[in-house]
Amino acid sequence: MAKMHDTPMLDELTKGPWPSFVTDIKKAAEAGNEACADLLGQLELSYKDKEGHWKHGGIVGVLGYGGGVIGRYSDVPDLFPGVEHFHTLRVNQPASKFYKTERLREVMEIWNNRGSGMLNMHGSTGDMVLLGAFTEELEPIFAELTQKGWDLGGSGSALRTPACCVGKARCEFACIDTQDICYSLTQEYQDEMHRPAWPYKFKFKIDGCPNCCVASLARSDCAIIGTWRDDIRIDQEAVAAYVGGEIAAHGGANGADAKLDIKADVIDLCPTGCMFYEDGKLTINNAECTRCMHCINVMPRALRPGLDTGASILVGAKAPILEGAQMGSLIIPFIKMEEPYDEFKEFVEKMWDWWDENGKNRERIGELIQRLGLSAFIEAVELKPIPQMVKEPRSNPYIFYKEDEVPGGFERDIADYRKKHAR
Ligand code: HEM
Ligand code: HEM
Ligand code: SF4
Ligand code: SF4
């Protein structure tokens, strides 16, 4: 039986209409879990003292890996021996997070036996996050997990566990096989994941279409977003069925006989104004379409992405630890994504070389691009500058002439030049 602590302040959190982590952890504590009981005790003390009682205290990990374990210790271990060490293990999730319950039980058996039994499905990184282990348990946990085919994910200045949307497994919009790409990158870059060697972290996220369900655009240093370069497929009969009300608008969310207003709901909301509905026929000027997905989302039975599919690659998104948050910048508007993804991987390796060579300690690639300029980055990855790379026209020009490219160089005699225009 674990020693329960009085937690009047934490108990307040159990009162509202929402599920509370306090209720859950208490349940486990009452069932005899000492780490859970002491975690609540220490948290209550933190509320009282208005200070955190966790400390870092050196690097912990498993042999051969530089990442995957994040160390935490209690600074009041005498009061709460159950959380004296409270290390976190990141466990690499399978692509799109599909599990058999049998496999989850496997993980839980190891974790209940050797760790706190508390876990987070899933951390923002994507991994399964196992919270609260003692140092001496780390190697046995790692051994037992790997015996069953699991592996740790990335942490520290490493490649973080790549993550992807559900993709072709369940989603008709998927233009690329997100799961296969995720798996291929994970396998190819094992070393980069387990042995941190970079200025800072690096994340890949893969979305099957511009709906961006894993928010790769904002959450990954390199976003791979499925798209198409031919035309949106139109089924005119289904368009007519939407207009006539035979197919309920918005998937029936507003009732089975809610009728789509094709003008208000689709045509007028197309951000580029490239859709037309005339004489009962829908047309799209595909050259102007930005692939925003709006029309396809609203009329999924009538409109589908094209068939010549690939991905757009964006680089440089990050959260605001240093400087501000930023979205990725479009670097490659379209690239075919076919197994084994060699063309994409070549790009990745050029990008990493440049970052590794030039990045300061704890500088994300997006920050390095800001510091040295998009033009330096584009040159390093050997791409031709194109207008789509510009974030805002005119405020961030990306083409710079170099002196040796200009006949006569930059030096000129201004008096001599002006003579030509003298009246
Ligand atoms: C008020 C207190 C805390 C705040 C505001 C906080 C905030 C955060 C934030 C913003 C992240 C990043 C999430 C992400 O984007 O990946 C994070 C991650 C993390 N925090 Fe905390 N944290 C707090 C307390 C703690 C404590 C007490 C521990 C451990 C004892 C802890 C362990 C971790 C771990 C292991 C991660 C990485 C999780 C993952 O892999 O997704 N945090 N925290
Ligand atoms: C002293 C003479 C001139 C000055 C000070 C001047 C100044 C400017 C400025 C400040 C802009 C805006 C640039 C920008 O926002 O990036 C501009 C744009 C432009 N100027 Fe001039 N300009 C001059 C002469 C001319 C002449 C002689 C022509 C045509 C023969 C011309 C054609 C244009 C055009 C077409 C644009 C728009 C370019 C674009 O949208 O990309 N300008 N000019
Ligand atoms: S990002 Fe696109 S392909 Fe992936 S799950 Fe979302 S809608 Fe489907
Ligand atoms: S995908 Fe977006 S931009 Fe393209 S036609 Fe549809 S609504 Fe317009």
Side-chain angles (χ1 to χ4, degrees):
M1 180 65 206
K3 180 175 171 273
M4 299 294 290
H5 305 275
D6 273 346
T7 54
M9 280 184 276
L10 278 179
D11 293 346
E12 288 296 311
L13 297 175
T14 63
K15 289 182 183 164
W18 306 104
S20 158
F21 71 97
V22 178
T23 315
D24 279 355
I25 298 178
K26 229 177 188 174
K27 218 190 274 174
E30 277 158 4
N33 183 319
E34 195 193 350
C36 291
D38 282 354
L39 183 74
L40 293 175
Q42 178 168 320
L43 191 55
E44 181 75 16
L45 184 66
S46 290
Y47 279 21
K48 184 163 158 272
D49 295 349
K50 296 191 166 52
E51 88 176 77
H53 283 292
W54 299 107
K55 55 178 188 181
H56 286 260
I59 305 258
V60 287
V62 297
L63 202 63
Y65 281 19
V69 183
I70 301 150
R72 289 283 188 294
Y73 298 89
S74 169
D75 72 1
V76 279
D78 297 343
L79 294 177
F80 307 107
V83 295
E84 178 172 359
H85 303 188
F86 201 76
H87 309 318
T88 294
L89 289 104
R90 285 195 177 142
V91 176
N92 194 330
Q93 86 286 4
S96 302
K97 308 187 174 85
F98 283 102
Y99 302 95
K100 283 187 178 167
T101 45
E102 175 190 330
R103 303 281 277 145
L104 290 173
R105 283 182 210 286
E106 225 166 71
V107 173
M108 281 321 294
E109 201 172 299
I110 299 168
W111 188 236
N112 277 327
N113 194 18
R114 297 196 173 271
S116 76
M118 277 179 277
L119 81 165
N120 170 5
M121 295 282 277
H122 296 78
S124 307
T125 49
D127 308 89
M128 267 193 258
V129 176
L130 311 188
L131 288 155
F134 275 69
T135 308
E136 59 273 23
E137 295 292 352
L138 294 174
E139 287 292 354
I141 292 169
F142 179 57
E144 287 171 23
L145 283 172
T146 47
Q147 261 164 27
K148 302 268 184 192
W150 296 94
D151 198 0
L152 298 187
S155 74
S157 292
L159 177 65
R160 301 304 179 81
T161 315
C164 64
C165 79
V166 73
K168 291 196 171 174
R170 298 201 58 164
C171 182
E172 69 203 58
F173 294 154
C175 296
I176 49 176
D177 190 342
T178 58
Q179 297 181 303
D180 191 55
I181 297 167
C182 189
Y183 182 72
S184 172
L185 294 175
T186 307
Q187 293 296 344
E188 178 101 22
Y189 298 123
Q190 281 287 299
D191 201 37
E192 283 75 4
M193 246 171 77
H194 297 311
R195 283 163 276 278
W198 285 331
Y200 200 10
K201 61 181 143 183
F202 193 96
K203 303 180 182 177
F204 284 118
K205 295 204 194 298
I206 308 128
D207 276 306
C209 81
N211 279 335
C212 229
C213 294
V214 288
S216 60
L217 167 67
R219 301 202 306 148
S220 56
D221 300 84
C222 181
I224 303 161
I225 303 178
T227 186
W228 64 97
R229 61 181 165 186
D230 52 349
D231 295 348
I232 292 179
R233 286 175 284 164
I234 307 178
D235 175 346
Q236 296 290 355
E237 270 176 38
V239 173
Y242 274 110
V243 175
E246 290 112 66
I247 302 177
H250 309 299
N254 306 324
D257 30 72
K259 207 159 142 181
L260 188 82
D261 178 342
I262 193 161
K263 187 171 181 304
D265 295 339
V266 185
I267 311 283
D268 290 354
L269 296 179
C270 168
T272 61
C274 72
M275 304 186 80
F276 310 91
Y277 184 68
E278 282 154 356
D279 306 326
K281 193 165 178 265
L282 181 70
T283 49
I284 297 174
N285 177 0
N286 283 276
E288 291 295 326
C289 163
T290 53
R291 280 66 176 157
C292 79
M293 293 296 291
H294 172 72
C295 59
I296 299 175
N297 290 334
V298 176
M299 308 170 75
R301 288 169 68 181
L303 302 177
R304 288 195 288 169
L307 291 167
D308 186 6
T309 54
S312 295
I313 310 298
L314 291 88
V315 176
K318 61 174 211 74
I321 295 182
L322 296 173
E323 309 281 333
Q326 67 182 32
M327 300 279 208
S329 297
L330 184 71
I331 301 299
I332 305 179
F334 188 91
I335 183 173
K336 276 290 193 190
M337 290 300 279
E338 275 152 16
E339 225 257 323
Y341 314 108
D342 285 339
E343 197 188 349
F344 174 69
K345 286 174 186 167
E346 265 169 45
F347 163 75
V348 166
E349 283 155 35
K350 281 184 223 160
M351 165 167 73
W352 283 346
D353 277 350
W354 180 73
W355 178 48
D356 206 12
E357 201 63 34
N358 296 287
K360 291 188 200 167
N361 191 28
R362 288 181 88 74
E363 185 172 49
R364 297 281 284 273
I365 194 160
E367 290 155 350
L368 179 63
I369 293 174
Q370 277 183 331
R371 181 161 65 82
L372 298 186
L374 191 59
S375 59
F377 174 70
I378 292 166
E379 206 176 286
V381 293
E382 297 173 321
L383 290 174
K384 282 213 172 79
I386 46 163
Q388 284 95 328
M389 290 167 180
V390 176
K391 192 165 124 206
E392 283 162 55
R394 297 180 181 181
S395 69
N396 57 341
Y398 54 90
I399 300 175
F400 295 96
Y401 289 103
K402 294 197 181 116
E403 188 155 14
D404 58 2
E405 291 167 351
V406 181
F410 288 168
E411 296 301 322
R412 63 173 182 180
D413 178 352
I414 196 71
D416 186 49
Y417 180 78
R418 285 191 175 150
K419 255 189 250 158
K420 283 200 275 190
H421 298 283
R423 283 187 225 181

